[in-house]
Amino acid sequence: MLRITQRPFEGVPDSVRQTELLVLEGTLSGPWVSELETVAATHSEGGSLSLDLSRVHFVDPTGLRLLLRLLANGARLHSASPFVHELLHTR
């Protein structure tokens, strides 16, 4: 299961906020990969996207490909669990 929550960035006034922060919790695998892809596409329109992956404890190969594609397309990694950090930096 994957929970996706949108949170505001701390310390950035609403009038200049153009970045969406998506906080992911759980497992990025199976049907949750396409769910993240849909949500990320919606939230990245008109601004940039940041991902907080500090509470993600598992990513399957399809989920990893999506994360790498999002990062290659301009998404920013706000935070990551040690597991996810290692996955992203060994590819």
Side-chain angles (χ1 to χ4, degrees), residues 7 16-17 26 32 51 83 88 90:
R7 292 205 180 139
V16 296
R17 186 176 296 146
W32 309 116
L51 301 170
F83 171 77
L88 292 173
T90 58

Side-chain angles (χ1 to χ4, degrees), residues 22 24 28 33 35-42 44 48-51 53 62-77 88:
L22 296 181
L24 280 60
L28 182 54
V33 175
E35 180 67 21
L36 173 59
E37 189 168 26
T38 300
V39 171
T42 301
S44 64
S48 60
L49 177 68
S50 286
L51 301 170
L53 308 174
T62 305
L64 179 58
R65 284 191 296 274
L66 173 59
L67 290 176
L68 292 171
R69 189 169 64 245
L70 290 173
L71 294 171
N73 289 331
R76 295 181 183 162
L77 184 60
L88 292 173

Side-chain angles (χ1 to χ4, degrees), residues 19-34:
T19 302
E20 300 290 339
L21 176 64
L22 296 181
V23 180
L24 280 60
E25 301 174 67
T27 301
L28 182 54
S29 63
W32 309 116
V33 175
S34 59

